[in-house]
Every structure is written in structure tokens, then in C-alpha cells.
Amino acid sequence: MPGRYPHRPPSPSLPSRPRHPELDGTFDRGDQAGGTQRRAPAGSIAAFAGALLTDPDTRPDALLARIARMDHKHVAVGVTGDRYAAVHKCLHAGIGLTSRGWTSGVYHQYTRRVIAFVKATGTALVAVLLCQPWWAPQWGRGLLGEVGGLGAPAALAVVLVFFGLVALYCRALQRMLACVRPGAAVRSPASVWWMFAIPYNFTEDFFIVHAGARSLAADGRTGARFVRRWAVLGHGWCAFQVLSLFPGAAGHVGGAVAVPLWVAHWGMTVRARRTLAPVPRVAPSPTVDG
């Protein structure tokens, strides 16, 4: 559904009705409705200013020619001198809208690249930690070594039980996010199943919890205090989960703290889902007196 999971703010737009009736009918209505009318002159002037800042010693003749063509067009459509006060206001408004749109686009591109770098780096570091028993056995067996030390049958049972619990937790998260108001969800509810993508999940879990907290906050029905506690518990078990990968006492402490935080966060997730989508009560059937 378009707009269901907004990742960026909507593009700014001008009012549909003209603010300056003296210019009504002067310019192309189609260009005004599509945004071309404000982007063309504003983009030219913004590009001209950018060219001067980038290379102040070179005169941007091509951009000057483009601006000159706009002046000729104004003459052709009959823009007189007394109307240029309104043209001036509209032009500056267009520059502001265009620059905000460009700034927003650059910001989101930069943010996506930073997030991708953080996820790639975190995944690589987690992979190194998981392989620690092979490249630094003197530090201890680590998480995988300890699970493997239980023996094949016991290790398989531990892994199956663990993944079964993770599946139930993901299902609770997905059901909670599916109950968020339309337009408030930051990510698709199905994205929580990235928690199974080892070792990528150790970094992605932080972003899943963060997106869930943003969705709950945007929905507003659970309350700001509840959302803060939910986010703290979620980021807490994610952090101690990573600590549990370290060998020795640090890993044992991380695991001992991560599990109760995870269980508490699971319980809050179920409570949030019940708040967002309460179970309807069945009205008792009327009794007939005999």
C-alpha cells in the first residue's frame, strides 16, 4: 500500500489555489500542478549559486543562458513590470521548497549509506566473534564451543528450542506491528524475521527494535512512557546478546542478563499488541425465562 511504511517525509507542495490572482492564467496550469513551474526557475538559480561556490573563478555561462531564456519566456507570456513583485515572491518560495526537497533527499541517501555501513561492519565483527574458538582457542570456547561441548544430541536440542522460542518472539513482534495504525509503521511487520539471518541478525536486531519503538510512538496508543521502557528493554537484550558472544566471564554475564531482558521485552510486546488490538468481548446470550 503506498505510504504504508514511509521512509522519508513527503515532498513539499504549493497550495492548489493561486496566492496571486494577478498571475492566474499567465503560466501553464499543468506545469504548476506538476511542480515543474517552481522547480525550473528555482533549480536554475540554486544551481547557479552552487556553481559560484564550487568554482568562483569560472563564470557559469550555460546557467546564465538558461536564466536569460526564462526572462524571454516571461516577456512572451506577457509578464509586465507591475507583476514582478508577485513573481519575485513565488520564485523565492520555490527556491525554499526546492532546497528543502534536495536537502531531505541528500540526508536520506547519507543516512541509508551510514546504516548500510554500520550493518556490514557489525555483521563482520560478529562473524569474527563467532569464529573465535578457531582463531584464538586460548581465550576459551566461546558460545559455539560451549554449545558444541554438550554433545551432538544435546546441542541439537538446544538449537531447536532456541530457534523455536525466537520464532514465537518474532511472531509476537509481527502481530504487534500489524496492529499499528496505517501510516505509523516504519517498517513492514514481516521484517522482524530478519532475526533468523545469522550473523546479520545481531546487528539488525537493534534496528528492528528501533523501528518498532518509532512505530509505537507514531501510533500513540501505548503511551510515551511504555514506548521508552519497551525500547530500553529491547536495545538492552540486543546489547547483552552481543556481549554473550565473548569468551569467558563476559560472555556468561551477557547471556545471563540478555535472557531475562528478552523475556521481559517479549511480555511487553504482547501487552502492546493487546492494547493496539483488544480482543472483543462476546456479549452473553439473552436467557429466556421458562
Side-chain angles (χ1 to χ4, degrees), residues 64-89:
L64 288 172
R66 182 177 177 183
I67 295 174
R69 283 197 299 270
M70 286 189 289
D71 292 336
H72 293 309
K73 184 175 181 180
H74 286 177
V75 174
V77 297
V79 178
T80 57
D82 58 326
R83 297 181 178 180
Y84 264 96
V87 173
H88 175 270
K89 293 179 181 179

Side-chain angles (χ1 to χ4, degrees), residues 127-140:
V128 170
L129 279 175
L130 289 173
C131 298
Q132 172 268 324
W134 288 274
W135 57 265
Q138 68 275 13
W139 292 356

Side-chain angles (χ1 to χ4, degrees), residues 22 32 46 64 76 89 94 100-102 108 142 153 164 172 180 186 205 213 222 226 250-251 255 257 277 285:
E22 66 270 26
Q32 292 177 353
L64 288 172
K89 293 179 181 179
R100 286 200 296 272
W102 287 347
H108 285 287
V180 171
V186 177
D205 289 347
T222 53
F226 180 91
V257 177
S285 57

Side-chain angles (χ1 to χ4, degrees), residues 251-269:
H252 294 151
V253 171
V257 177
V259 171
L261 289 179
W262 180 46
V263 173
H265 191 255
W266 190 346
M268 290 193 71
T269 300

